Amino acid sequence: MTADVSTSTPVTLLGLGAMGTALARTWLAAGHPLTVWNRTAARTEPLVAEGATAAATAAEAVAASDLVILCLLDDASVDEALKGVDLTGKDLVNLTTTTPAQARERATWATARGARYLDGGIMAVPPMIGVPEAGGYVFYSGAPDLFETHEKTLAVPAGTRFVGADPGHAALHDVALLSAMYGMIAGATHAFALIREESIDPVAFAPLLTEWITAMAGPHMAQTAEHLKSGDYTADVVSNLGMQTAGVPTFLATAEQQGVSPGLLVPFFNLMHRRLTQSTPEEGLTGVVDLLLR
């Protein structure tokens, strides 16, 4: 009888912050033999009580399993933890948040040390780990054969999305989506500031804001992608650049009247104006993308 790889593969996990601990608990609950290491050893104790094995050193932890997961603070922490550690024959999966360039350099570094390498970008917060209905997932990129080998094990804590052989693409997807999130939060922050001093219940306002952003986001993302792919920035545009730019003074005047700084919006408005001077008012907003490239 063949063992179920998804519930029998030994896993080593380096790093037991909030995310690492959440990951660890899902593998333990799924029946994986789990070896853990953390620079602050006390953090291993609750997991040992739940069935994990604590390693005294990172080297000891790496030696315990072929599959080694890293969930550390940053790229420098990876260097520090694995300095002098034998990685020959190991499958290294790095879930540490890094830049795309750092991920590519780490892949080269791992290969030179005899390991296969997969980079990951976690699109979840710790409470979403191990909760499929929460919708969390992890981007993976790097060695396709490594992903195929361990996909079931990697899917235990959260969904998996493989985004290609380029080791930097998981980190790039991660940062791109998070950047969009912060832009959305910036707009929502400005919206709440506008109503802050008025007799408008923010709790009642919130679902209106959510509905509006949701309704606008899907069509905008799809159209921007199509424009970038086709090169035609005027196709199927409903609210063109000329019209939207003409409306900017109203937004700025409203902010001034409400005593709100327009600082979160002005940079984008400035880019809209700049694009208008270089193109046609019949475009949508896609051309602003090109202005950001250096």
Side-chain angles (χ1 to χ4, degrees):
M1 181 179 292
T2 302
D4 184 347
V5 174
S6 69
T7 58
S8 63
T9 301
V11 176
T12 283
L13 176 62
L14 307 185
L16 296 175
M19 181 59 75
T21 298
L23 294 170
R25 288 198 162 108
T26 64
W27 280 310
L28 282 172
H32 290 267
L34 180 68
T35 301
V36 294
W37 173 86
N38 193 72
R39 185 171 58 180
T40 303
R43 288 191 176 180
T44 66
E45 294 172 3
L47 293 170
V48 169
E50 295 173 34
T53 299
T57 65
E60 180 183 320
V62 170
S65 313
D66 289 337
L67 177 59
V68 178
I69 313 289
L70 304 169
C71 190
L72 298 167
L73 178 63
D74 52 23
D75 189 62
S77 300
V78 175
D79 267 335
E80 182 180 351
L82 296 182
K83 184 177 181 180
V85 174
D86 183 9
L87 300 178
T88 305
K90 299 298 179 179
D91 290 341
L92 204 62
V93 180
N94 190 10
L95 302 183
T96 303
T97 300
T98 65
T99 69
Q102 287 173 327
R104 292 173 182 129
E105 291 168 2
R106 185 61 62 190
T108 300
W109 174 92
T111 301
R113 285 158 179 76
R116 294 192 297 178
Y117 183 85
L118 203 61
D119 203 77
I122 303 175
M123 306 308 298
V125 292
M128 298 169 70
I129 299 300
V131 185
E133 59 271 23
Y137 60 89
V138 181
F139 287 121
Y140 290 98
S141 63
D145 56 339
L146 173 54
F147 178 74
E148 291 170 8
T149 298
H150 295 296
E151 182 177 4
K152 288 184 179 179
T153 300
L154 296 175
V156 168
T160 62
R161 302 194 184 189
F162 186 71
V163 290
D166 185 325
H169 279 185
L172 186 55
H173 278 72
D174 181 13
V175 173
L177 265 60
L178 289 174
S179 297
M181 178 194 74
Y182 283 115
M184 176 200 70
I185 291 173
T189 298
H190 183 86
F192 277 115
L194 288 176
I195 70 163
R196 181 66 171 145
E197 300 299 326
E198 299 284 342
S199 57
I200 296 175
D201 182 358
V203 174
F205 181 75
L208 300 176
L209 184 58
T210 300
E211 290 168 9
W212 177 248
I213 290 175
T214 301
M216 292 297 101
H220 174 76
M221 306 307 175
Q223 185 174 83
T224 299
E226 289 296 332
H227 283 179
L228 291 171
K229 188 171 184 177
S230 71
D232 181 0
Y233 294 178
T234 64
D236 301 318
V237 169
V238 175
S239 300
N240 66 45
L241 180 62
M243 181 272 287
Q244 294 201 57
T245 303
V248 166
T250 298
F251 294 108
L252 298 179
T254 300
E256 183 177 2
Q257 292 163 16
Q258 295 300 111
V260 172
S261 168
L264 291 173
L265 300 183
V266 165
F268 191 76
F269 288 156
N270 287 343
L271 286 168
M272 288 168 57
H273 279 290
R274 181 177 159 200
R275 180 65 186 180
L276 186 62
T277 66
Q278 299 176 359
S279 62
T280 169
E282 302 308 314
E283 282 189 0
L285 296 176
T286 304
V288 174
V289 173
D290 296 333
L291 294 181
L292 295 178
L293 302 178
R294 294 186 295 176

